[in-house]
Amino acid sequence: MYFAALLARTEDGWEASDTELDDVETLSDLADLAREASPDEDTVLVLIEQEDAWFGVVRVDGEEDPRIYVSDAAAAARSSYGEILLTDELLGRDPDDGDVLDALDLDGTEDGESDEDEDDDDAEDGAGAAGSAESVPHGPVGDALILDDLGVSEKELRLMSTDAVTEIAESLGASETLETVR
């Protein structure tokens, strides 16, 4: 079971809104959704949690690039919502590595890539497309200092587990606000 909410910091404190991620396909879509929640370009947190498996925090500060933290990349990689957060940049991968489209014969030749190119790709990423799935680390990825200036230290964030969204809201002083949308 998933839970996703937006917490927008305003002059009056935190405002929460329940959010549906069904129409969100990319991190850019998610950042746009967050920006819509705060017309004054305040800080907006997108909190996503899959019960007992993983949680993610996306922080959007105005027009800056979103900052991301995911508690368990391997667990999130098995989730459609997690896949939105696990960008190549976050995972430290070259966007062209393990790309399934590279394996397809799109150049009009009968053989596609030469054997030499395939050997190089396999050596770099394990075993082609299968190797890229294995390259997702178990454990946290991203900006562990994402909430540091809001009172949640890196250590506290890394220690959070099953009910992290509630713990984060409590640390921010927004637990009552969050409960209104839960």
Side-chain angles (χ1 to χ4, degrees), residues 7 14 45-49 55-57 69 146-147 150-152 156-157 160 163-175 178:
L7 280 179
W14 291 97
L45 302 176
V46 181
L47 305 173
I48 303 171
E49 174 178 82
F55 70 92
V57 179
Y69 176 82
I146 192 168
L147 301 173
L150 300 174
V152 181
E156 291 171 313
L157 189 61
M160 291 180 183
D163 201 13
V165 168
T166 300
E167 290 179 51
I168 290 169
E170 286 175 5
S171 296
L172 300 175
S175 57
L178 181 68

Side-chain angles (χ1 to χ4, degrees), residues 12-86:
D12 300 325
W14 291 97
E15 291 181 8
S17 56
D18 190 9
T19 188
E20 275 297 318
L21 299 179
D22 294 341
D23 295 331
V24 174
E25 295 179 6
T26 66
L27 182 59
S28 294
D29 293 343
L30 188 60
D32 290 343
L33 183 69
R35 288 183 184 104
E36 289 171 12
S38 177
D40 295 330
E41 296 189 6
D42 293 317
T43 297
V44 179
L45 302 176
V46 181
L47 305 173
I48 303 171
E49 174 178 82
Q50 182 182 3
E51 193 173 276
D52 297 330
W54 66 276
F55 70 92
V57 179
V58 178
R59 179 175 175 162
V60 178
D61 293 302
E63 292 300 317
E64 292 182 26
D65 288 340
R67 296 167 56 192
I68 307 163
Y69 176 82
V70 176
S71 66
D72 186 336
R78 294 186 295 271
S79 155
S80 58
Y81 297 137
E83 287 179 343
I84 294 169
L85 305 182
L86 297 175

